[in-house]
Amino acid sequence: SFEIKIASSGATFTVPEDKSVYQVLTENGIEIMVSCEQGVCGTCLTRILEGEPDHRDLYLEEHEHAANDQFTPCCSRAKSRLLVLDL
Ligand code: FES
């Protein structure tokens, strides 16, 4: 598991192995737009202010993955213990 922090509120949530970042956000009343939920469409793209994502999408280009400043919360996860999201 890893933690996500909402930059605007400072709220921190745990993302367990069996849930996506998107699911955890929704369960906590934070709505983001999703469509494919498979890392294909890019609808859910969210900026990252801190931490290293574990990219699992097919949407971003390789150099965009390498920049580590955005990710797809419908399917991507974290390599670092904490991701701070620009939400
Ligand atoms: Fe399509 Fe996340 S909803 S990439």
Side-chain angles (χ1 to χ4, degrees):
S1 69
F2 56 95
E3 310 276 310
I4 52 172
K5 184 173 177 178
I6 310 305
S8 61
S9 67
T12 304
F13 308 111
T14 300
V15 182
E17 294 303 324
D18 62 343
K19 285 185 184 165
S20 69
V21 173
Y22 166 62
Q23 283 175 308
V24 170
L25 289 172
T26 302
E27 283 173 8
N28 289 283
I30 298 157
E31 297 198 11
I32 60 164
M33 297 260 290
V34 294
S35 179
C36 72
E37 293 189 53
Q38 293 179 15
V40 176
C41 71
T43 302
C44 65
L45 212 55
T46 299
R47 286 190 59 78
I48 294 175
L49 301 176
E50 244 183 86
E52 186 181 355
D54 179 5
H55 295 289
R56 303 206 180 164
D57 67 279
L58 301 168
Y59 176 76
L60 293 170
E61 306 279 338
E62 208 172 312
H63 71 275
E64 292 174 311
H65 281 161
N68 284 339
D69 60 355
Q70 54 184 345
F71 83 140
T72 54
C74 67
C75 60
S76 293
R77 306 189 65 82
K79 287 182 181 164
S80 53
R81 207 183 47 77
L82 174 72
L83 286 183
V84 179
L85 307 183
D86 189 14
L87 290 174

